[in-house]
Structures are given as C-alpha cells and as structure tokens.
Amino acid sequence: MTDSSDLIICEYCDSVYQRPPLARNERAHCQRCNAVIERRPWLGLDQLLALNLTAGMLLAFVSFYPILSVQNQGRNNAASLADSVWALVDGPISAIAAVVGASLILVPALQVTLLTWLLSFAHFRQRAPGFRWSMRTLEVLRPWSMLEVFLLGALVSVVKLTGRVEAAPAAGLFALAALTLLMIGIAGRDLRLLWKQVP
Amino acid sequence: MTPPFADELNLRLCHRCKYACSLDRDRHRCSRCNALLHRRKPDAIARTWALLLAAFVFYVPANVLPILRTTALQHDSTTTILGSVVDLWQDGAWDIAVIIFVASVVVPVAKFLILAFLLVTVQRRSRGSCRERTQLYRGLELIGYWSMLDVFVVGLLAALVQFGVLGDIEPRLGILFFGLVVVLTMMATLTFDSRLIWDAVKDER
Ligand SMILES: [Zn+2]
Ligand SMILES: [Zn+2]
C-alpha cells in the first residue's frame, strides 16, 4: 500500500485519488462531484509573506482611517471600519456589532497575525511554535472574513446617500479595495502548501 | 473507472487540514494536525435542521421590524429591508435596488430552500443527481456571506450620517435579527456534510 500522503480525498464526496502531477496554475477536479481537489498555488511562501505584511499595514490603515466622507450643509463627517462597528454598539442591537467587528476586523487581523507568524518561520525553513494549532485555526477562520462584502456595502452606501448628502470615497476605500484583493490571495485554500513545504 | 471511496480503503479525511489519514495507523486523531477525526461531521443532519429552523424563525422579525430610522429636521421615518428596496427603486437607483434585493431576499430564501432540499433528499437516501446536489452545496458556501451586505450598509450609514437635527441615521432591531439569520445559515451550511449525499451511492456498490 502507498503512503497516504500521496492520496487526496475529495472533501465533498469522499472519493480517493492519487495525487496528480500539476503544472503551475493547473487544477485537478473530482471525477464524481467536480470539486477542485488540488491546484498548484501561484505564489511561493516568501511572496505570501510579503503580501501578508502589506495586508497587515492596510488593515491597520482602513480600521482607523475614513473609508467614506459626507458633507451636509457645510458640516463634514467621515467613517472608518471601526466607526461602522461602533455605530452598531449602542442600544439593543449591540450583538450585531460583535458579529460585524469579528468579520471585518478581528478575523482578518487574526488571519494576518497567524500567517505572519507561520510564514516568518517558514522563511527560515522552520515550523513555528504552535504550527498545527495555527493551521487549524486559519481553516476555521476562513469562511468568516467578510471584507469583500463590506467593500460592496461601501459602494452601495455612496449611492444610497447621493441626493440626500454629498458623499465621497476617502483614501481608506482604495486601501480597502487593495486589502480585499490581498486577503483573497493569501488567506485562501492555497495555504495548505505550508504542510508540505515546511518539514 | 470510478474512484474508490475513503471508507473502502480504510482512510479518513481530516476536516481541518484535509489530510488523508490512514485508519490502520491513527484511529482518533489526525496524524498531521492532531484534530479529532470523524467519519462524517457529527450529527450533521440534526444540527443543520436546528440551525436552519432557528434562522427561519428569525427571518420573520428581520423582515417585519425596521432596520434603520432616519431623522431630519421635521421628517422622521423607519425602513424595513423590503421598504428600502422599494424606496431605492422609486428613486431610480434600480441597480442598487437589485443588488440589495438579491443579497437580502433572494440569497437567504435560496439558502433556506437549498438546505432543506439537501437535508430531505439525504434523509430519503435519494441516489439521483448527486453531482448536481453537491454543486448546489458548493454554491451555498460561495454565496452565504454576501447577505451580510445590508448589515454593513446600515453600520456605515449610521456611522456617517450623524448631523444632529440636520439628519441622523440610527440602526434598528430588524438588522440584529437579519444579521443573526445570516450567521445561523452560514453555520447551518458549515455543519452540513455533503458526503452524506454520496453515502446512498456508496451503499449501492
Ligand atoms: Zn468529489
Ligand atoms: Zn488534520
């Protein structure tokens, strides 16, 4: 019998395959259910680390710098990610502020922190302390980061406000767009290559 | 040639790191990440039904109660989710109206229907169109969190429009229920195990 690390099990239908040799950007699909079972990631670990550090800075920036600003009869107002969470804290709906704060700030911040930890050690070909726990946690966090939805929400808000007040995107909105793209690139399923590449 | 199922080779998939664990070697924990191994996600059907029903119950107040309150000078009004879609449509912003309608109405209702359909067919051990049903499940994973759109819009609007007597926007209780519906349906999707769809096929072999 072959070593089980040469085998892939489809997570959607439990079919077992021999790990296929893949060229860059190629993917293998499950014969039964058509799920992607394996793909060659397009970024190396050091590139991931660089993107991850950039994402960390962008996240700090959009958390506290304005994403949108509005003007009403000479008065100015602007809101960051943290302000949007804070606006939901008051009154009986504060539970939703926890959900929003988690999905927009806490989860992405944890993802970036854990990835920086793992990838910095991986840079020196080492397993970080807590490697297995961090990898498991990243897998649990993955569905709960919702920055891309917030980005669409910011665009929807601009349209909703036009006519009532003067609304304009601020620097944070462009940082948010960049951050969203980065997070999709670094926090996805491609992380699994860390298991193989760090002995 | 159809591939074998994991059970037939005495293998088990680790949910957390997706490693193919050999049951000859590791009985209970993944040898790579140390997570507990389960043949299928534990109590998947009962838990998914429970979360789905809870979400469905919350969906009523989410639609009936207002999600935000707007005050400006002498004008004071509250809006529900559907009300905000109608307002946008009448203001001529039909593109945004469609986006909100899809994210807040079409996606949650589709999630209820698809999950219920998957649960019922799994419980009846249906063997038809397994591939299509698995693809429906992957669709759920993809669209799930986009329903959070309205919650973020309300948060952002409330943070932005704070001009005292000149105009204020405040969140209202409806948005709490709506956010909980989204979280509960996401949890329901995560607790469901699409491999159950294939168990009926496997038992045939
Ligand atoms: Zn499959
Ligand atoms: Zn594992």
Side-chain angles (χ1 to χ4, degrees), chain A residues 12-65:
Chain A
Y12 293 98
C13 71
D14 232 13
S15 306
V16 183
Y17 300 91
Q18 201 76 40
R19 193 178 296 283
L22 290 178
R24 224 173 180 72
N25 293 335
E26 240 186 351
R27 331 161 132 204
H29 290 267
C30 173
Q31 282 178 37
R32 271 210 181 82
C33 76
N34 205 32
V36 176
I37 46 169
E38 174 94 334
R39 73 171 158 218
R40 270 281 291 270
W42 28 297
L43 294 172
L45 291 179
D46 282 340
Q47 289 163 311
L48 278 179
L49 178 61
L51 292 183
N52 193 56
L53 294 172
T54 319
M57 286 185 285
L58 286 173
L59 183 64
F61 183 78
V62 294
S63 296
F64 302 105
Y65 280 82

Side-chain angles (χ1 to χ4, degrees), chain B residues 44-133:
Chain B
I45 294 178
R47 287 186 195 182
T48 311
W49 269 124
L51 289 163
L52 185 61
L53 289 177
F56 191 70
V57 169
F58 282 172
Y59 194 56
V60 177
N63 277 289
V64 174
L65 296 174
I67 55 165
L68 53 81
R69 173 161 168 260
T70 316
T71 52
L73 295 178
Q74 58 280 91
H75 192 67
D76 188 339
S77 65
T78 58
T79 333
T80 59
I81 288 175
L82 275 174
S84 76
V85 175
V86 173
D87 286 349
L88 283 165
W89 188 272
Q90 285 171 344
D91 290 347
W94 59 270
D95 37 5
I96 300 296
V98 169
I99 291 177
I100 301 258
F101 183 74
V102 169
S104 308
V105 183
V106 178
V107 170
V109 171
K111 272 161 76 175
F112 291 140
L113 294 177
I114 292 174
L115 272 173
F117 169 72
L118 292 177
L119 284 164
V120 169
T121 49
V122 162
Q123 281 177 311
R124 294 180 53 187
R125 305 192 64 76
S126 313
R127 270 176 278 113
S129 40
C130 292
R131 191 184 174 99
E132 289 71 21
R133 282 186 284 148

Side-chain angles (χ1 to χ4, degrees), chain B residues 6-200:
Chain B
D7 284 343
E8 295 165 341
L9 298 180
N10 213 17
L11 294 169
R12 190 157 290 179
L13 174 79
C14 169
H15 291 304
R16 285 287 168 254
C17 74
K18 315 302 173 191
Y19 186 65
C21 295
S22 156
L23 286 176
D24 304 327
R25 208 176 30 189
D26 331 289
R27 286 257 123 211
H28 304 292
R29 285 186 181 273
C30 170
S31 57
R32 189 164 78 171
C33 79
N34 205 35
L36 276 175
L37 292 177
H38 302 284
R39 202 183 83 84
R40 297 290 175 262
K41 295 180 192 170
D43 284 332
I45 294 178
R47 287 186 195 182
T48 311
W49 269 124
L51 289 163
L52 185 61
L53 289 177
F56 191 70
V57 169
F58 282 172
Y59 194 56
V60 177
N63 277 289
V64 174
L65 296 174
I67 55 165
L68 53 81
R69 173 161 168 260
T70 316
T71 52
L73 295 178
Q74 58 280 91
H75 192 67
D76 188 339
S77 65
T78 58
T79 333
T80 59
I81 288 175
L82 275 174
S84 76
V85 175
V86 173
D87 286 349
L88 283 165
W89 188 272
Q90 285 171 344
D91 290 347
W94 59 270
D95 37 5
I96 300 296
V98 169
I99 291 177
I100 301 258
F101 183 74
V102 169
S104 308
V105 183
V106 178
V107 170
V109 171
K111 272 161 76 175
F112 291 140
L113 294 177
I114 292 174
L115 272 173
F117 169 72
L118 292 177
L119 284 164
V120 169
T121 49
V122 162
Q123 281 177 311
R124 294 180 53 187
R125 305 192 64 76
S126 313
R127 270 176 278 113
S129 40
C130 292
R131 191 184 174 99
E132 289 71 21
R133 282 186 284 148
T134 315
Q135 275 167 335
L136 272 180
Y137 178 72
R138 279 202 295 278
L140 282 183
E141 288 188 325
L142 279 181
I143 59 171
Y145 65 140
W146 285 96
S147 306
M148 221 44 172
L149 183 69
D150 239 2
V151 178
F152 295 153
V153 169
V154 168
L156 197 49
L157 290 179
L160 279 170
V161 185
Q162 302 209 340
F163 295 105
V165 284
L166 287 175
D168 259 338
I169 290 182
E170 278 173 36
R172 277 286 173 267
L173 204 52
I175 205 66
L176 169 66
F177 285 105
F178 188 74
L180 292 177
V181 169
V182 182
V183 171
L184 286 169
T185 50
M186 283 180 70
M187 288 168 67
T189 309
L190 289 169
T191 34
F192 184 74
D193 194 331
S194 67
R195 291 170 299 175
L196 294 170
I197 298 171
W198 296 88
D199 279 350

Side-chain angles (χ1 to χ4, degrees), chain A residues 8 19 35 81 97-98 103 110 114-115 129 142 145 179 182 185-186 188 193 195 199:
Chain A
I8 314 174
R19 193 178 296 283
L81 268 187
S103 57
L110 263 170
L114 287 174
L115 275 168
R142 192 159 44 80
S145 161
L179 174 64
L182 279 180
I186 58 179
L193 88 143
W195 285 113

